[in-house]
Amino acid sequence: MGEKDITEKHLEAYNDVFADIVNVLLFKGNQLMKEKDLEAAAKDSMFKADGKIHQQERDVSKFWKNGEVRISILGFENQTEQDSTMPLRVISYDGASYKEQLLDKKKDKNKDTKKKNLYPVVTLVLYFGIEDKWTAPKHLLDCFKVPEELKPFVNDYKINVFNIAWLSDETIEMFQSDFKIVAKYFQTLRLKKDYEGSNEEIQHIDALLKMLSALTGDKDSEEIYNASNINKGGVTMGGFVETIMNKGRDEGRKEGRNEGVLAGKAEVINNLIESKAGSLEQIAAWVKLPVKEVKKLAAKVPAKA
């Protein structure tokens, strides 16, 4: 498993975030799923193909319980790119979960214990693309051509895709966990606006910043947080945005100063070369730069008429 995969999943594995995502995306903000009713589920399953055992793994998976009875299992699949085989992937994850229930039920029967309830499996595909909404297949039958004569006998399978960057302001405001920041951040990226952050306190700051860093490739927030002595509590995204902007301004000023110094050296180098004051090696020693850099700077100065 790659580092990116791990960091994407870490934030969503917290029960408050997991329940929040389900309550908003599936139940329109109604708080039907509670943190205390969630239990971590095994994310991987095995299948046999070509005489070998293979492993497949969900991104995040939780049992939803009513007391001691499991009433469903829900899983998340994070996508930053569209996948034309997503329905096949989802049906394999869901099928493995149903197979596991059958095996558990068989074990219980052999032990002559109380029957276990079977429960439904639900998978949410969270798509973080910002250029286009999900246009890849959402139905199993769209993944391949089916002969007309065979269509009545092939069962379809629909996947649940949520375009996070296209969520409305109203929907984003329903989130009560750190996922609100994730959703707002991707909405802002899609709209090509400056992200201003918010004054809401981040609950899982390390996991949130690592997830944003992994999904976008932007390391600024995570690096600033890791290098800072900021109290780990009471941190807001607004505060981080201000810190990053200040860092950018400081780097810009520093870069400007450096460019000014190099421009001055380029002029001096060009004058020395034109006056044949010395060899390139001597000039390089005088201005304290490598010969290769001296040649590069000299080339930037327009030739005198």
Side-chain angles (χ1 to χ4, degrees):
M1 185 191 310
E3 180 184 355
K4 180 178 178 181
D5 295 324
I6 296 171
T7 52
E8 281 178 10
K9 303 167 193 175
H10 186 52
L11 178 68
E12 295 162 350
Y14 286 102
N15 281 359
D16 64 316
V17 178
F18 191 99
D20 192 35
I21 293 172
V22 173
N23 285 332
V24 172
L25 298 184
L26 297 192
F27 307 141
K28 302 186 184 305
N30 293 319
Q31 303 300 301
L32 301 183
M33 180 178 283
K34 310 294 183 186
E35 291 181 53
K36 63 181 180 60
D37 296 331
L38 290 174
E39 173 188 282
K43 295 184 296 183
D44 58 339
S45 57
M46 303 291 182
F47 66 96
K48 190 173 183 179
D50 300 325
K52 297 179 181 178
I53 299 296
H54 301 267
Q55 183 180 32
Q56 59 183 8
E57 184 176 358
R58 284 184 178 273
D59 282 355
V60 186
S61 185
K62 300 271 186 184
F63 289 115
W64 186 14
K65 303 190 302 179
N66 180 8
E68 294 302 316
V69 180
R70 292 173 178 172
I71 56 177
S72 68
I73 180 171
L74 291 98
F76 296 163
E77 292 300 316
N78 297 315
Q79 289 293 123
T80 54
E81 296 180 0
Q82 303 202 34
D83 184 348
S84 60
T85 64
M86 202 68 206
L88 284 84
R89 287 176 52 194
V90 171
I91 196 173
S92 67
Y93 296 140
D94 293 355
S97 295
Y98 286 123
K99 179 67 173 177
E100 184 180 1
Q101 292 184 57
L102 290 175
L103 292 174
D104 286 347
K105 196 174 182 67
K106 185 177 179 181
K107 287 178 185 177
D108 286 348
K109 187 176 180 181
N110 291 340
K111 291 180 181 178
D112 199 26
T113 58
K114 187 179 179 180
K115 290 183 180 179
K116 275 193 175 180
N117 291 327
L118 297 176
Y119 43 84
V121 181
V122 179
T123 298
L124 285 68
V125 178
L126 307 181
Y127 176 55
F128 294 94
I130 60 174
E131 297 302 326
D132 299 291
K133 284 186 176 181
W134 185 275
T135 56
K138 293 183 182 179
H139 291 263
L140 183 64
L141 290 181
D142 293 333
C143 294
F144 32 67
K145 282 191 173 182
V146 182
E148 288 298 324
E149 299 81 1
L150 197 58
K151 274 187 178 179
F153 308 100
V154 180
N155 292 323
D156 201 359
Y157 201 81
K158 173 181 170 292
I159 62 174
N160 307 297
V161 178
F162 297 91
N163 297 286
I164 303 304
W166 271 264
L167 294 177
S168 66
D169 289 333
E170 181 182 8
T171 299
I172 291 174
E173 283 304 312
M174 291 180 188
F175 290 111
Q176 299 180 12
S177 71
D178 290 341
F179 197 78
K180 177 190 283 190
I181 296 170
V182 175
K184 189 65 181 177
Y185 186 74
F186 277 89
Q187 182 202 58
T188 304
L189 288 180
R190 174 181 67 83
L191 296 173
K192 295 180 171 56
K193 293 182 177 179
D194 291 332
Y195 179 70
E196 298 178 354
S198 69
N199 293 323
E200 293 172 284
E201 184 176 336
I202 303 171
Q203 300 302 313
H204 310 291
I205 184 166
D206 186 62
L208 171 67
L209 296 178
K210 283 179 177 176
M211 181 175 183
L212 290 177
S213 176
L215 290 171
T216 65
D218 183 356
K219 304 286 185 181
D220 277 348
S221 294
E222 187 184 351
E223 288 175 357
I224 289 172
Y225 174 71
N226 290 336
S228 70
N229 293 319
I230 296 175
N231 186 324
K232 303 309 179 188
V235 179
T236 67
M237 277 305 288
F240 264 100
V241 170
E242 185 178 354
T243 302
I244 293 167
M245 287 176 65
N246 287 337
K247 179 190 176 191
R249 283 193 291 266
D250 291 343
E251 289 180 347
R253 285 193 289 266
K254 182 179 178 182
E255 186 176 341
R257 287 194 297 270
N258 289 340
E259 286 180 357
V261 171
L262 290 175
K265 285 191 175 183
E267 188 69 33
V268 170
I269 288 167
N270 203 53
N271 289 336
L272 290 171
I273 291 174
E274 287 190 352
S275 64
K276 299 180 180 179
S279 65
L280 281 177
E281 288 75 12
Q282 288 174 318
I283 293 172
W286 294 335
V287 297
K288 297 181 179 179
L289 288 174
V291 174
K292 186 184 291 186
E293 189 67 23
V294 167
K295 290 181 180 178
K296 190 185 297 184
L297 289 172
K300 289 182 179 181
V301 179
K304 293 181 181 179

